[in-house]
Amino acid sequence: MAGTAIVLYLLLFYNLDRASIFNPLVFWGSLIFPMVGMVVATRKLREHQSGEISKKEAIQTSFLSWVVAMTFLHIFIYLLFNFIDNGLIDLQKEMFEASTDIKVKREDLEMTFGSLFFRWALMMIPGFLLSYTVASFLKNK
């Protein structure tokens, strides 16, 4: 559900104003959904197990929620930039160059499978740290 919520959230901003999806507040705000999903999933598992959950189980559950949500997010970004609206790359290029006075090639901003996989993998680091934090608060064994 967290992955779907991220996609719907970004689609809302995309439909309001295409450029808004490049706003850092919009992107970072979208990460609230997987964080809430991590807590909800861990609490549900704890309830399912008669109120008992170990730290290891809590980390696994919350991290899996993060991984699934980030997978949804990155698949959506890939589809959006490559199939739904390929002009977003040009918009991103214009916005980047206007704000930094640095010239970039369009190819450098393309959302390829490899670049998105790297970004997905990089997002696993904060995901694990958040999972550890969620587990620390919700464990009871």
Side-chain angles (χ1 to χ4, degrees):
M1 290 194 317
T4 303
I6 290 176
V7 170
L8 292 175
Y9 172 83
L10 291 175
L11 272 175
L12 172 70
F13 280 97
Y14 172 77
N15 285 322
L16 292 174
D17 178 24
R18 291 173 57 218
S20 68
I21 64 169
F22 297 114
N23 183 328
L25 292 175
V26 171
F27 176 76
W28 293 110
S30 72
L31 297 182
I32 290 172
F33 297 107
M35 290 189 285
V36 169
M38 294 165 77
V39 172
V40 169
T42 305
R43 281 185 171 172
K44 282 190 178 192
L45 180 64
R46 184 174 69 183
E47 289 171 13
H48 181 70
Q49 296 181 163
S50 304
E52 299 280 327
I53 192 167
S54 68
K55 191 169 193 172
K56 179 181 176 182
E57 292 169 322
I59 289 172
Q60 288 173 337
T61 302
S62 59
F63 187 64
L64 181 59
S65 297
W66 178 268
V67 169
V68 170
M70 290 301 105
T71 301
F72 271 69
L73 171 64
H74 287 82
I75 288 172
F76 170 70
I77 290 171
Y78 181 80
L79 293 174
L80 181 65
F81 277 76
N82 291 297
F83 299 104
I84 298 170
D85 188 352
N86 194 262
L88 282 173
I89 297 168
D90 298 317
L91 178 60
Q92 183 180 24
K93 180 181 183 302
E94 291 169 17
M95 291 175 67
F96 179 81
E97 289 176 347
S99 65
T100 63
D101 292 327
I102 298 172
K103 298 292 182 197
V104 292
K105 296 178 186 173
R106 185 181 195 280
E107 299 82 36
D108 294 337
L109 298 175
E110 288 180 350
M111 299 295 170
T112 64
F113 177 78
S115 69
L116 285 170
F117 180 77
F118 177 76
R119 292 176 190 192
W120 176 85
L122 198 59
M123 290 301 288
M124 294 305 113
I125 297 168
F128 180 78
L129 296 174
L130 287 168
S131 297
Y132 188 85
T133 303
V134 167
S136 296
F137 284 107
L138 297 179
K139 70 165 174 62
N140 58 7
K141 272 194 203 176

